[in-house]
């Protein structure tokens, strides 16, 4: 649990500043579950430059509550949370100073989005809050007011969490907490998990990932882990001290995250992923008359492949489908075993490629249409799918046929501007396995839309 925090102060000498406004959004890693926003009477004058910067003046604060009147609420909303702020050292110091004046020792773990962004978005020209969120296309209102900056920090933190593929943020937090043996009640943590699409992580007492997987129903899948029999399942159940998750909204995003993070994290209880996710391909071969025919064969080499598959049956079913959908020759593609003309020719439905009724050039254009429809080879596109909540979308960026990564957005200009799009994308490994996952998904499922990038 996180407490996204921003504080505005009077300015002045170090450790003599007073709080003029505070905003805290309690964030469970997926949504805001509580918030507290208030002006605060600092009982001292505000520096003129601060008035010009924030718009908060002494008159506005005369009837505002004093810090001791809001202190209890701050303690309650931040209890058992990690404080997250842009330049967290400043906000945390101010809070501790105010509590110290009340004789209370206020202690919380902290995360600084300045430090995190330097690590996860090193290419940013500036890591100041205003310039950083602007480069990511994050809308900001009420800049230099506590709630405006807290909301901007919250949206930035969501981007940073999604970019943290090695899960260093989460591991660090879990590692620093004390864990005992799981009780029956703790095993029921499954009840707090969402029945939604995403990736889940099963951790040991040190925060290390023991097992990760994807599911369209996280709650149901984790429940199966806790109830499965077998020696390995019981070992995993005993070693698991916490289950965390990331909602993806899109099944494609869950598949790609699982593929990427299995190879990055190498969890102890996951089976070792295969070097290649496919073992069969469909390719084109020109016959003696120059007509392209589709051939399925066992291979883990994508070069020259039309499409990749996990099984021979899947490859043959694909050939059968596209032969029908694109009016290709069933005899040429091995579907009809007729020695001369096939039944499609005899009833007048065949284009006649198998006996040269149609030119190879014309026929082959339809074959290439199949490639254009089902392959991302050499394409510059953005695949858009549903996001994690209403109004949010996910964009998968593909350049020259290679998957670059994905990111979430809620404003059209974030994907219509390539620079902004690339800044919100979490980079991922665009290898043959990722290509196989994407093309397989597009063959079977519909997405919101596919946009071509300007060349």
């Amino acid at each position: 649990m996180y407490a996204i925090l921003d504080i505005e102060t009077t300015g002045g000498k170090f450790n003599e500043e007073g709080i003029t406004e505070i905003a805290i959004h309690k964030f469970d890693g997926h949504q805001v579950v509580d918030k507290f926003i208030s002006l605060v009477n600092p009982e001292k004058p505000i520096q003129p430059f601060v008035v010009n910067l924030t718009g908060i003046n002494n008159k506005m604060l005369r009837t505002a509550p004093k810090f001791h009147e809001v202190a209890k609420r701050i303690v309650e909303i931040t209890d058992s949370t990690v404080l997250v702020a842009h330049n967290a050292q400043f906000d945390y110091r101010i809070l501790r100073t105010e509590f110290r004046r009340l004789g209370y020792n206020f202690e919380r773990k902290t995360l600084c989005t300045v430090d995190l962004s330097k690590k996860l978005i090193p290419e940013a020209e500036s890591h100041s809050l205003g310039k950083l969120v602007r480069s990511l296309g994050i809308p900001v209102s009420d800049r230099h007011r506590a709630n405006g900056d807290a909301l901007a920090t919250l949206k930035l933190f969501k981007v940073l969490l999604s970019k943290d593929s090695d899960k260093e943020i989460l591991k660090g937090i879990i590692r620093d907490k004390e864990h005992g043996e799981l009780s029956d009640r703790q095993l029921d943590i499954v009840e707090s998990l969402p029945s939604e699409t995403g990736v889940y992580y099963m951790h040991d007492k040190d925060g290390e990932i023991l097992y990760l997987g994807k599911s369209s129903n996280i709650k149901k899948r984790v429940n199966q882990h806790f109830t499965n029999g077998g020696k390995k399942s019981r070992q995993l159940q005993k070693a698991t001290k916490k289950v965390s998750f990331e909602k993806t909204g899109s099944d494609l995003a869950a598949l790609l995250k699982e593929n990427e993070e299995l190879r990055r994290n190498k969890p102890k209880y996951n089976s070792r992923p295969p070097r290649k996710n496919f073992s069969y391909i469909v390719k084109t071969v020109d016959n003696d008359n120059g007509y392209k025919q589709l051939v399925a064969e066992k291979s883990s080499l994508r070069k020259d492949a039309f499409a990749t598959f996990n099984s021979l049956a899947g490859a043959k079913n694909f050939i059968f489908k596209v032969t029908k959908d694109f009016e290709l020759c069933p005899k040429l593609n091995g579907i009809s075993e007729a020695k001369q003309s096939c039944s499609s020719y005899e009833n007048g439905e065949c284009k006649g490629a198998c006996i040269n009724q149609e030119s190879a050039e014309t026929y082959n254009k339809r074959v290439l249409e199949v490639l254009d429809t089902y392959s991302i080879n050499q394409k510059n596109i953005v695949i858009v799918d549903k996001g994690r909540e209403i109004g949010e979308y996910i964009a998968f960026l593909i350049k020259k046929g290679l998957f670059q990564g994905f990111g979430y957005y809620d404003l059209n200009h974030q994907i219509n501007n390539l620079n902004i799009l690339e800044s919100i994308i979490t980079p991922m490994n665009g290898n043959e396995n990722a290509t196989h996952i994407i093309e397989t998904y597009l063959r079977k499922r519909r997405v919101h839309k596919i946009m071509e990038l300007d060349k």
Side-chain angles (χ1 to χ4, degrees):
M1 194 73 71
Y2 308 96
I4 315 300
L5 169 73
D6 190 79
I7 290 172
E8 302 299 331
T9 71
T10 58
K13 293 182 180 179
F14 185 82
N15 270 5
E16 293 183 8
E17 309 100 323
I19 295 176
T20 59
E21 190 175 34
I22 185 169
I24 302 172
H25 292 259
K26 194 171 185 178
F27 178 59
D28 66 2
H30 310 281
Q31 62 185 353
V32 173
V33 297
D34 195 4
K35 61 183 175 182
F36 173 66
I37 305 162
S38 180
L39 290 169
V40 180
N41 185 341
E43 302 182 84
K44 61 180 67 178
I46 307 173
Q47 298 292 312
F49 82 90
V50 176
V51 175
N52 291 332
L53 181 67
T54 66
I56 301 173
N57 57 48
N58 295 309
K59 184 178 179 180
M60 292 170 59
L61 302 180
R62 287 175 186 168
T63 59
K66 297 177 174 64
F67 184 78
H68 71 85
E69 296 176 283
V70 299
K72 182 180 179 181
R73 176 69 171 128
I74 294 171
V75 171
E76 290 173 345
I77 197 172
T78 62
D79 184 41
S80 300
T81 69
V82 179
L83 296 184
V84 180
H86 208 69
N87 191 7
Q89 184 179 9
F90 171 81
D91 296 83
Y92 188 47
R93 175 180 65 80
I94 296 296
L95 267 185
R96 282 179 56 81
T97 299
E98 288 283 8
F99 276 109
R100 194 177 299 116
R101 291 168 183 161
L102 300 178
Y104 180 81
N105 184 29
F106 181 83
E107 289 187 342
R108 298 288 187 269
K109 281 181 60 62
T110 63
L111 281 173
C112 180
T113 50
V114 175
D115 295 337
L116 291 174
S117 62
K118 286 180 179 178
K119 180 178 180 181
L120 296 171
I121 316 177
E123 69 279 5
E125 292 184 8
S126 171
H127 292 91
S128 68
L129 182 61
K131 291 181 179 179
L132 186 58
V133 296
R134 189 158 50 247
S135 71
L136 296 172
I138 295 173
V140 182
S141 59
D142 291 331
R143 187 76 177 91
H144 299 299
R145 290 296 299 267
N147 192 46
D149 285 356
L151 285 172
T153 303
L154 172 61
K155 292 178 180 179
L156 170 62
F157 188 54
K158 288 181 178 180
V159 172
L160 294 171
L161 283 174
S162 67
K163 285 182 175 288
D164 183 27
S165 298
D166 291 327
K167 298 293 172 284
E168 291 302 322
I169 297 174
L170 187 61
K171 288 179 185 177
I173 292 169
I174 296 171
R175 189 178 296 119
D176 289 341
K177 293 182 179 179
E178 294 181 0
H179 293 272
E181 292 296 318
L182 280 176
S183 64
D184 290 339
R185 183 187 62 80
Q186 287 171 316
L187 285 175
D188 288 339
I189 191 174
V190 68
E191 292 302 319
S192 67
L193 299 174
S195 300
E196 298 178 46
T197 300
V199 180
Y200 60 91
Y201 310 86
M202 305 178 77
H203 304 268
D204 66 12
K205 61 183 177 62
D206 296 318
E208 293 300 319
I209 299 173
L210 297 170
Y211 186 93
L212 72 84
K214 63 87 187 171
S215 178
S216 58
N217 187 328
I218 295 174
K219 175 181 283 190
K220 181 178 179 180
R221 185 69 189 97
V222 173
N223 182 67
Q224 291 171 342
H225 282 294
F226 282 121
T227 56
N228 282 344
K231 182 179 179 181
K232 188 174 181 179
S233 294
R234 288 194 296 271
Q235 289 175 342
L236 177 60
Q237 291 160 15
K238 184 176 180 180
T240 299
K241 305 302 180 188
K242 181 178 176 65
V243 177
S244 63
F245 63 92
E246 283 190 34
K247 292 191 288 186
T248 61
S250 163
D251 288 307
L252 178 56
L255 287 163
L256 290 167
K257 277 185 72 67
E258 180 191 43
N259 175 67
E260 174 95 357
E261 295 182 358
L262 277 175
R263 288 169 170 79
R264 280 178 176 266
N265 293 283
K266 299 179 175 62
K268 178 180 178 181
Y269 287 91
N270 282 93
S271 300
R272 185 176 179 180
R275 192 173 65 87
K276 294 289 180 66
N277 287 357
F278 58 91
S279 50
Y280 289 87
I281 65 170
V282 170
K283 66 179 184 180
T284 60
V285 177
D286 290 349
N287 72 358
D288 293 339
N289 296 319
Y291 291 88
K292 292 185 180 297
Q293 59 187 111
L294 300 176
V295 177
E297 66 177 38
K298 186 175 180 63
S299 176
S300 59
L301 298 176
R302 182 172 175 81
K303 184 179 179 181
D304 300 326
F306 214 77
T308 54
F309 299 86
N310 296 320
S311 67
L312 180 59
K316 288 184 174 181
N317 286 338
F318 172 76
I319 294 175
F320 182 86
K321 180 181 186 305
V322 298
T323 296
K324 180 180 179 182
D325 292 347
F326 289 81
E327 297 183 314
L328 304 181
C329 177
K331 185 173 185 298
L332 191 64
N333 289 333
I335 295 172
S336 171
E337 297 181 354
K339 292 182 178 181
Q340 298 296 325
S341 59
C342 63
S343 59
S344 295
Y345 175 76
E346 291 173 352
N347 62 25
E349 295 178 358
C350 183
K351 291 287 184 179
C354 58
I355 54 173
N356 303 335
Q357 290 283 354
E358 182 181 28
S359 71
E361 181 180 3
T362 303
Y363 177 83
N364 290 343
K365 284 182 179 179
R366 291 205 309 282
V367 177
L368 294 177
E369 283 180 27
V370 181
L371 176 63
D372 186 61
T373 301
Y374 291 104
S375 175
I376 63 173
N377 184 41
Q378 294 301 314
K379 287 184 178 179
N380 295 301
I381 57 173
V382 178
I383 300 170
V384 178
D385 208 355
K386 64 180 181 179
R388 299 160 294 190
E389 56 194 38
I390 295 175
E392 182 183 70
Y393 294 93
I394 183 171
F396 302 85
L397 178 61
I398 295 164
K399 295 174 70 175
K400 294 184 178 180
L402 295 178
F403 172 57
Q404 306 295 308
F406 64 74
Y408 294 92
Y409 72 95
D410 49 21
L411 297 173
N412 284 333
H413 84 270
Q414 289 177 284
I415 61 165
N416 292 330
N417 184 312
L418 183 58
N419 290 332
I420 291 178
L421 173 60
E422 290 179 330
S423 71
I424 64 175
I425 290 294
T426 300
M428 299 181 75
N429 192 349
N431 55 24
E432 292 182 345
N433 289 328
T435 300
H436 169 73
I437 290 170
I438 293 169
E439 291 184 343
T440 300
Y441 188 88
L442 294 178
R443 286 198 299 265
K444 298 178 179 179
R445 305 281 291 277
R446 287 187 176 182
V447 293
H448 181 66
K449 62 181 176 180
I450 298 176
M451 301 169 47
E452 289 191 13
L453 294 174
D454 293 335
K455 295 182 180 179

